Amino acid sequence: MTILCVRFQLPPMYEAALPGLLGLLEEFTPVVQALPPDGALADLRGAERYFGRTALELASVIRVRALALHGIDCVIGAGPGPMVARMALREARPGRTRAVAEDEVREFLAGQPVVALPGVGARTARTLCEYGLDTLGRVAAAPLSTLQRLVGARAGRELHERANGVDRGRVVPDAVSRSLAAERPFTRDELDPDRHRRALLSAAEELGARLRALDKVCRGLTLTVRYADRSATTRTRTLPEPTAHSPALTRAAYGLYEALGLQRARVRAVALRAEGLDPAEQAAHQLTFDPVDEKVRRIEEVADRVRAKFGPHAVMPGTLAA
């Protein structure tokens, strides 16, 4: 068990603490990959040898330091690779690391629902379940040719490998500072798609305002939907042009949400992340000569000046496009 997947239990809208928490992980290993808005992967292969402790022992130290230095608890999953560590995280609880040893991987995967596998979306899961392949054990036992006919040649091969415990993923260090996130938790598990969309509208407008305040634009947008069973779906889309324009971010967020094809999903929270930040001065805006678009941009400028003068809550996200 050399890979940890850590999810810090950050209060809503407390993303600013994440870089410091990532720094805590980097005290043990330089191979840390941020999983915004509240998590990270850490490869501890070198740390185990250097500190003379197992990954589980290091996980306990990380939890204690996060509490002592930041007042933030965390849940941790551990496994021989990133895929298993992420899946183990779903069964972890505060104060207890859920660990899956290398010789336990196939048994651990066999009982998992197919939707629990990272990279398997709602549409693929429905297709597999229609043919009785509702657990990873059944997917692992299915012929490769059958999976390829159902989901495609490449996807079928990857699905077959992962269901059998083959994890070709690796932890890739990245920079969380090149992204911004906004999360909208619900007070209860939310089934209403209209409420999901309103939350996305609010998050997109917050991201736009923050990007403009920093004189930044983003090249991509990532949507994360967290469900009542603690699982999550993440999708990323590259934007047609780098932007900090809230309506453009909202359109992209709606497109990502609609592509998930959720049907009566019990959603606990939605989060948007603006990826690939660049200085706004380096971005070119395609002129549309659309008077409505130009009017919205002027309103954004006025709202941004109000926020700068009276604070971020002077104009609440969601009011401009209401």
Side-chain angles (χ1 to χ4, degrees):
M1 294 169 292
T2 58
I3 307 296
L4 298 185
C5 186
V6 184
R7 176 173 294 161
F8 299 103
Q9 297 188 307
L10 297 176
M13 311 299 294
Y14 198 53
E15 181 201 357
L18 184 58
L21 292 165
L22 294 178
L24 184 153
L25 294 177
E26 289 170 350
E27 294 178 7
F28 296 89
T29 173
V31 189
V32 175
Q33 178 180 345
L35 300 177
D38 57 5
L41 287 169
D43 188 334
L44 297 182
R45 279 177 290 191
E48 288 178 306
R49 293 191 296 270
Y50 182 82
F51 291 103
R53 297 189 179 187
T54 66
L56 283 179
E57 292 172 332
L58 292 173
S60 297
V61 176
I62 289 169
R63 178 180 291 109
V64 170
R65 288 195 180 182
L67 279 168
L69 300 177
H70 300 273
I72 300 294
D73 202 353
C74 59
V75 291
I76 303 176
M83 178 189 75
V84 174
R86 287 189 185 211
M87 296 178 70
L89 178 69
R90 297 191 180 102
E91 300 182 3
R93 296 293 181 270
R96 174 179 171 271
T97 299
R98 176 64 170 100
V100 180
E102 191 164 3
D103 58 358
E104 300 171 343
V105 168
R106 299 203 53 175
E107 181 181 355
F108 169 74
L109 293 176
Q112 298 286 331
V114 68
V115 74
L117 191 69
V120 174
R123 185 176 302 175
T124 300
R126 283 197 301 271
T127 299
L128 294 170
C129 290
E130 286 172 359
Y131 289 87
L133 303 175
D134 56 346
T135 67
L136 293 180
R138 291 176 177 173
V139 171
L144 174 60
S145 58
T146 298
L147 297 177
Q148 290 180 320
R149 283 197 299 270
L150 292 177
V151 300
R154 179 178 177 180
R157 183 173 59 253
E158 292 179 352
L159 179 62
H160 188 263
E161 287 183 348
R162 292 178 181 179
N164 279 282
V166 178
D167 185 3
R168 302 188 187 278
R170 58 192 182 92
V171 180
V172 180
D174 56 9
V176 71
S177 60
R178 288 182 57 80
S179 63
L180 290 175
E183 183 169 5
R184 293 294 183 270
F186 296 106
T187 55
R188 58 183 176 83
D189 298 335
E190 186 56 67
L191 293 167
D192 188 352
D194 288 337
R195 291 184 179 274
H196 300 166
R197 289 171 65 89
R198 284 199 290 272
L200 290 174
L201 169 63
S202 173
E205 291 200 348
E206 180 195 328
L207 280 183
R210 291 169 63 189
L211 286 167
R212 295 189 297 274
L214 295 170
D215 290 325
K216 298 283 189 179
V217 293
C218 67
R219 290 182 278 109
L221 193 68
T222 295
L223 167 66
T224 300
V225 180
R226 303 193 191 281
Y227 305 105
D229 63 356
R230 297 178 178 268
S231 64
T233 301
T234 300
R235 294 291 184 271
T236 299
R237 175 172 295 182
T238 300
L239 300 173
E241 65 178 21
T243 187
H245 189 33
S246 294
L249 296 172
T250 301
R251 286 193 296 271
Y254 285 170
L256 286 164
Y257 174 79
E258 297 298 336
L260 293 178
L262 301 180
Q263 295 182 354
R264 294 194 61 78
R266 297 170 58 203
V267 175
R268 183 161 293 175
V270 295
L272 290 177
R273 174 161 289 276
E275 308 276 3
L277 305 191
D278 291 318
E281 62 188 22
Q282 297 180 8
H285 167 53
Q286 180 66 43
L287 296 177
T288 63
F289 301 104
D290 181 352
V292 175
D293 180 71
E294 293 305 316
K295 180 180 178 181
V296 171
R297 290 179 184 272
R298 287 198 298 273
I299 292 173
E300 277 187 341
E301 293 175 1
V302 173
D304 290 342
R305 288 198 294 270
V306 171
R307 289 190 187 96
K309 185 173 183 179
F310 297 105
H313 298 296
V315 179
M316 294 300 293
T319 57
L320 293 181

